[in-house]
Amino acid sequence: MTTTGRSRFVGVLLIVLSLIPAVGCALVLAVWLPSDSERYRDYLAAEPCPARATAQAWEDCLRTVPFTVESTKIKSGSNGGSYKATLSGAPFWNGTVAFGDWGPVLARLVPGDQVIGTVWRGDVMTVGIGEGGVRQSTSEEPRDEPQMTVAIGTFLGLLTLLGLQFGAMRLAAARSLGALGSHGHERVTWRGYGKPLLITMAVVCAGVGLPAVWLGGPTWVVPAVALPVVACTAGLLYRYRRPINARGRGA
């Protein structure tokens, strides 16, 4: 395959592959985000189940169910932890629930303990020790944390733009190797431009999304900060890589 044909093939391939994060971005912002928000609102609006209502496997009301602890797993580490408890004794649900950390309930549990679980729509939302005692939320409990979902969607959108840019540059280089292949294409190499830009995208989306969750900031703050930062970084990389490459060729 000639240089022109190879450049054209890579360009088309990059544009096609860019559709993957584009679809992911659309699903995150148009499906995942509204679904999580609706589920959170439904959970807040849920009422306790009537005292004499028959227990069902799936119900919109909040039901307190006694469980027996079969085992627990607490494993922490730099690569992520695992915090789980295996419960049994309920009429419609027995299994393992996951937590975000070990406290304040999980670390105190031992096999044979009796706990009270709050069940909603077939999942255990909280686990507590005794009626009205200390409780711990499970990973299934809906949370009002749309900021990180928006951060993921923003990152996927930026990744789409990066792929489209490289694809377009490859196609342009194939059409004009003399004008763009020896100068412009060199300015947007993966090592000097794409890789640092990808790292910037990941760092800024996570670096804005996580504090926004912790501080309860608005969802729009993620793209409002991430887009200008990434755009400025792209401009600086594009501007200052060219003189370095030019000096290297002259030397």
Side-chain angles (χ1 to χ4, degrees):
M1 182 182 294
T2 64
T3 302
T4 300
R6 183 167 56 252
S7 185
R8 183 179 292 112
F9 172 78
V10 173
V12 172
L13 181 62
L14 287 172
I15 291 175
V16 172
L17 290 177
S18 297
L19 297 177
I20 298 176
V23 171
C25 177
L27 290 176
V28 167
L29 298 180
V31 179
W32 182 7
L33 181 61
S35 176
D36 276 0
S37 298
E38 181 180 5
R39 188 168 183 264
Y40 177 74
R41 291 193 298 268
D42 291 346
Y43 180 63
L44 288 183
E47 299 288 343
C49 295
R52 297 183 179 180
T54 303
Q56 301 178 22
W58 194 95
E59 52 195 357
D60 277 317
C61 57
L62 299 173
R63 184 178 296 279
T64 55
V65 180
F67 289 99
T68 299
V69 178
E70 297 294 327
S71 64
T72 61
K73 179 181 180 181
I74 300 177
K75 180 181 179 182
S76 58
S78 58
N79 295 327
S82 179
Y83 311 98
K84 299 179 180 180
T86 301
L87 309 177
S88 65
F92 286 105
W93 191 96
N94 295 285
T96 301
V97 294
F99 302 87
D101 53 36
W102 60 76
V105 173
L106 180 61
R108 301 166 57 180
L109 299 181
V110 295
D113 280 351
Q114 300 296 309
V115 295
I116 300 297
T118 301
V119 179
W120 180 68
R121 293 186 177 179
D123 293 317
V124 178
M125 301 287 106
T126 66
V127 173
I129 301 175
E131 290 287 352
V134 61
R135 292 185 173 273
Q136 182 175 351
S137 298
T138 70
S139 299
E140 293 295 331
E141 185 179 41
R143 291 168 173 79
D144 186 25
E145 298 177 349
Q147 298 89 345
M148 277 309 299
T149 305
V150 173
I152 294 172
T154 302
F155 173 76
L156 292 174
L158 291 170
L159 186 60
T160 299
L161 294 178
L162 182 62
L164 291 175
Q165 181 185 10
F166 268 86
M169 285 292 186
R170 285 286 185 172
L171 291 178
R175 291 194 300 268
S176 183
L177 285 174
L180 191 59
S182 61
H183 298 288
H185 177 63
E186 188 178 26
R187 297 170 68 179
V188 289
T189 59
W190 171 252
R191 179 177 297 179
Y193 182 86
K195 185 177 180 180
L197 194 57
L198 178 63
I199 294 173
T200 300
M201 288 159 42
V203 170
V204 72
C205 287
V208 177
L210 286 174
V213 171
W214 299 333
L215 300 176
T219 55
W220 55 261
V221 73
V222 181
V225 174
L227 295 179
V229 170
V230 172
C232 289
T233 303
L236 291 172
L237 289 172
Y238 188 80
R239 179 180 179 182
Y240 291 109
R241 291 292 171 178
R242 172 66 179 127
I244 294 174
N245 290 336
R247 289 195 298 269
R249 285 195 305 271

